[in-house]
Amino acid sequence: MAPTQDKKDDGSDYRGCIEKLKTLMRSKGVDYFYVSSTDPYLNEYVPAGLRRRSIFTHFSGSTAEMLFSPAEKVKLFVDGRYHEQADKEVNYDQIEVVKVKGSALEKAVLDAIPPQAVVGYEAVRTPLKLARQIEKKCQKIVPLDDEMEQILPFPPSPPLPVVENLEGKVDISPAFEKIARVFQDFQKDEALYLCALDEIAWISNLRGYHLPHLCSFLARAVVTFDHLHLFVDPSISFEDVGPTITIHRTDEADLPQALRALEEKSNWKTLFYDEASINARDHSILARIWGEDRLFHREGGLIPYMSVKDDKEIALIRESFAKSNRAITEVLRWVRASMARGKEISELDIYEKTAECYKREGAKDQSFRTISGVGAHSSIIHFNSPEANLKVRGDDVVLLDSGGYFESGFATDTTRTILAHHKADPAPQMVDIFTTALKGMLALQNAVVPEGTDGAKLDAIARTPIKEKGYDYAHGTGHGVGIYVHEGGINVSSNSAHLKLKAGQVFSVEPGIYIPGFGGVRHENIVVARPHPKREGHLYFEPLTWIEFDEALLDRSLLSSRELEWFEAYQTRCREMGNTLSFD
């Protein structure tokens, strides 16, 4: 499970920012202001200093929504992953935290807007789909991008790394093949506009690492039946990209002119976009250039194509996980060895050791900010503030959730929960929740299901053994993994009945149990859905994560004979691969 990205910025004057926003709203006749968490590319992970909502609220979670009215407190909407974290980070004198059940944050925002309200927003940082929903709900929606830039100007960007071309470096399907694969579903006189950076990185085979914890590069794109047009800032440098890709250099202010120049040379009848992955401002630019009658929403963009991995991609992802498995194993063994030898280590030491071990395996970056929760902090689902003065005790649990990017630029993600000292006596309740969560993980990882099974049914497979013991967890059971650590196309949760599982999709299996103030457990393996060799039309799940589970926290009496068979087979394979917790 990928967590929040950055620590809160305690230096920002959020009270002053709120007062400036109040003044702006009064001057424009705005009743409510929607403040997003995203950037112009609608990234989930945005550095805290560039995330408007973090500056106004000091909440550091990567996912949340903010709605403000001068007559009310700032409303911060958080899902179940962040309920406990919000309590610890937010000033309740200034902020009202709305704890949303499940992940329906946007619906909660819409429900909080009165029908006759005038709503301000930043079009460049708001998905078109949400902007349209707000517009339908309220009296009027007012874009105030320039005005917000005056209140919160963004600092200049540092020099960006050179964008690398994977072709010729790794065995990957070339960009022209991917374009041809996509355009089997399009006509030659049609094109597709892309704003989502992971989609652009996937179809281009280019990697830039322009933002922390993301392998992508800053660009917009237009895909035609035989070509890829990239629109990038003039300061960005590229390796040779080959004849399939044309680079158009333009800054943000001149993007409309650059798009118009391309339109004048083209003969496309239709330009498609995905309203969930294009910001409202970009859509307004396209509408002025192409005209509304030539623009059409196509749900999902490239996600249906990039979500289903081909054999070359699966091989590259498997290689990345082999390195990630070794890095995580090294960290866990180091914790165990340190405890056994009486060496004092802290929660922050574990965090820093994780980065060191990934780097030793060749990681170019972490795929998200590592979670290293010790003791009671392990119950904070997306804990992101490791403490130097929190020293690890032998009977503490350590929850380590981490991932990285290696040469091919595909994300990894794995969670393990261990007892710090292998000879310590764990709390009986910790053993109970560890074993119960493991039952849920084993149930889904070892399931055989019909192709097309929806994400809600997969979620129920993992959640049922846990709910039978009276527990539950306030997050989904799994998410897609690919160019980014959270990828669309497949989601395993009670809200994902519309997403049907396909062979070649890679996703996480990560049930957990969390008890605030006591501690928590999460078991996370990443799997790839594969055609079953004996049952036609069915899929099984091949693990990509091979790291031994901690038997010091296991109560074998709670496992059925079949669960024990699954567990022993998995543990044996991990030990054969050298990914064992044993350090002697």
Side-chain angles (χ1 to χ4, degrees):
M1 170 177 290
T4 57
Q5 172 128 336
D6 291 282
K7 294 181 181 179
K8 60 187 177 182
D9 177 10
D10 290 320
S12 64
D13 177 13
Y14 67 94
R15 291 184 180 87
C17 292
I18 289 172
E19 291 305 314
K20 290 178 182 178
L21 183 55
K22 285 181 180 179
T23 301
L24 170 63
M25 293 172 66
R26 293 189 185 104
S27 70
K28 299 294 182 180
V30 169
D31 303 309
Y32 288 82
F33 202 102
Y34 166 72
V35 179
S36 80
S37 300
T38 64
D39 59 11
Y41 309 97
L42 307 184
N43 284 308
E44 176 185 8
Y45 292 148
V46 180
L50 303 180
R51 199 163 51 219
R52 305 293 209 196
R53 179 260 302 157
S54 295
I55 296 172
F56 280 108
T57 66
H58 277 185
F59 175 67
S60 67
S62 62
T63 303
E65 299 288 357
M66 174 185 156
L67 188 67
F68 178 65
S69 172
E72 304 172 7
K73 288 183 179 180
V74 174
K75 282 187 170 65
L76 179 71
F77 301 83
V78 296
D79 63 36
R81 296 170 297 172
Y82 297 106
H83 289 177
E84 187 177 356
Q85 182 175 331
D87 287 339
K88 294 179 180 298
E89 290 187 351
V90 169
N91 181 343
Y92 276 78
D93 292 336
Q94 296 283 331
I95 312 296
E96 176 188 349
V97 174
V98 181
K99 295 182 177 180
V100 179
K101 184 178 181 180
S103 57
L105 295 180
E106 291 183 354
K107 181 181 183 302
V109 171
L110 291 169
D111 289 345
I113 298 174
Q116 298 304 312
V118 177
V119 179
Y121 77 117
E122 286 184 277
V124 75
R125 292 175 183 84
T126 303
L128 175 64
K129 181 178 181 179
L130 178 59
R132 285 173 166 173
Q133 290 172 330
I134 294 174
E135 191 170 21
K136 287 180 181 178
K137 174 72 187 288
C138 71
Q139 177 185 347
K140 183 180 180 182
I141 186 168
V142 182
L144 295 171
D145 295 62
D146 293 340
E147 292 82 355
M148 276 292 286
E149 182 67 20
Q150 294 298 314
I151 293 176
L152 293 173
F154 282 117
S157 299
L160 296 172
V162 174
V163 179
E164 304 173 0
N165 190 350
L166 292 181
E167 295 180 22
K169 296 179 179 178
V170 300
D171 187 12
I172 195 167
S173 300
F176 73 84
E177 286 187 8
K178 293 181 176 180
I179 293 172
R181 191 188 313 165
V182 170
F183 264 78
Q184 290 177 357
D185 298 328
F186 291 82
Q187 302 298 317
K188 284 190 175 182
D189 59 358
E190 297 174 340
L192 179 64
Y193 182 83
L194 303 177
C195 186
L197 299 186
D198 56 339
E199 296 181 22
I200 297 171
W202 174 77
I203 200 164
S204 68
N205 287 330
L206 304 178
R207 305 289 191 268
Y209 301 92
H210 285 178
L211 291 169
H213 311 311
L214 301 178
C215 70
S216 55
F217 59 101
L218 303 182
R220 269 63 157 222
V222 174
V223 190
T224 72
F225 80 98
D226 65 352
H227 209 76
L228 176 63
H229 296 271
L230 298 178
F231 297 86
V232 302
D233 189 271
S235 65
I236 298 175
S237 299
F238 287 77
E239 294 180 348
D240 179 47
V241 297
T244 304
I245 300 174
T246 297
I247 296 172
H248 304 265
R249 299 190 177 278
T250 176
D251 59 23
E252 283 288 315
D254 292 331
L255 178 62
Q257 181 178 344
L259 287 168
R260 184 176 296 280
L262 179 62
E263 189 277 336
E264 291 172 351
K265 296 177 183 178
S266 70
N267 59 355
W268 312 320
K269 292 182 179 179
T270 303
L271 183 66
F272 291 98
Y273 63 87
D274 176 16
E275 65 178 7
S277 63
I278 183 176
N279 69 59
R281 192 198 67 174
D282 276 22
H283 178 264
S284 68
I285 293 171
L286 298 179
R288 290 197 302 269
I289 297 171
W290 267 270
E292 288 279 6
D293 59 332
R294 293 170 62 195
L295 293 179
F296 290 91
H297 162 62
R298 187 181 178 94
E299 187 172 359
L302 294 185
I303 289 175
Y305 307 95
M306 62 191 278
S307 173
V308 177
K309 311 297 186 287
D310 63 26
D311 289 342
K312 291 182 178 180
E313 289 173 322
I314 291 172
L316 291 171
I317 293 169
R318 190 181 289 112
E319 289 175 10
S320 293
F321 271 91
K323 296 175 182 179
S324 184
N325 292 340
R326 290 195 295 268
I328 296 167
T329 300
E330 184 179 353
V331 177
L332 300 179
R333 291 174 64 174
W334 171 81
V335 171
R336 277 282 172 81
S338 297
M339 291 291 99
R341 294 163 187 162
K343 180 181 177 182
E344 184 177 82
I345 61 172
S346 72
E347 188 175 62
L348 182 61
D349 290 332
I350 299 172
Y351 174 90
E352 293 174 343
K353 183 70 174 181
T354 303
E356 175 190 320
C357 292
Y358 272 91
K359 188 174 182 179
R360 188 176 296 120
E361 287 292 337
K364 293 176 174 288
D365 196 359
Q366 304 291 137
S367 53
F368 55 91
R369 183 177 170 86
T370 294
I371 296 172
S372 57
V374 172
H377 284 168
S378 61
S379 73
I380 303 174
I381 297 172
H382 277 184
F383 177 70
N384 74 332
S385 302
E387 298 178 8
N389 61 359
L390 197 166
K391 305 304 179 182
V392 183
R393 301 174 306 180
D395 60 353
D396 279 331
V397 293
V398 175
L399 189 153
L400 182 66
D401 187 349
S402 64
Y405 284 112
F406 299 89
E407 184 179 20
S408 61
F410 287 100
T412 71
D413 181 11
T414 297
T415 307
R416 283 293 180 269
T417 307
I418 68 167
L419 186 65
H421 195 303
H422 64 297
K423 293 184 178 180
D425 292 324
Q429 188 174 20
M430 187 59 67
V431 172
D432 187 57
I433 65 175
F434 179 97
T435 308
T436 302
L438 182 64
K439 288 168 71 72
M441 205 285 298
L442 291 171
L444 181 52
Q445 180 178 277
N446 294 281
V448 176
V449 300
E451 185 160 13
T453 298
D454 66 61
K457 290 185 175 68
L458 297 175
D459 179 85
I461 292 172
R463 203 177 292 267
T464 296
I466 294 170
K467 294 181 77 171
E468 286 176 348
K469 288 290 298 289
Y471 298 111
D472 202 354
Y473 47 97
H475 58 75
T477 297
H479 54 82
V481 179
I483 299 292
Y484 284 177
V485 74
H486 286 164
E487 183 173 88
I490 181 62
N491 187 266
V492 183
S493 75
S494 59
N495 298 320
S496 54
H498 61 294
L499 292 173
K500 312 299 183 182
L501 182 66
K502 302 178 181 68
Q505 289 184 316
V506 176
F507 65 97
S508 67
V509 178
E510 51 177 312
I513 300 173
Y514 313 91
I515 302 173
F518 171 70
V521 169
R522 183 162 61 251
H523 304 301
E524 179 183 21
N525 279 4
I526 308 301
V527 301
V528 55
R530 308 288 272 175
H532 197 278
K534 296 180 180 179
R535 297 180 63 180
E536 185 176 352
H538 284 68
L539 302 173
Y540 76 98
F541 304 128
E542 174 197 341
L544 298 171
T545 303
W546 293 99
I547 302 170
E548 186 179 27
F549 289 100
D550 186 9
E551 298 195 30
L553 287 166
L554 180 68
D555 183 349
R556 288 173 173 270
S557 70
L558 297 179
L559 300 182
S560 68
S561 59
R562 191 173 189 190
E563 289 167 340
L564 279 170
E565 182 182 347
W566 287 336
F567 180 73
E568 292 295 357
Y570 182 86
Q571 295 287 84
T572 298
R573 177 76 182 276
C574 291
R575 290 162 187 155
E576 290 172 350
M577 300 173 76
N579 297 330
T580 173
L581 299 180
S582 175
F583 57 89
D584 294 326

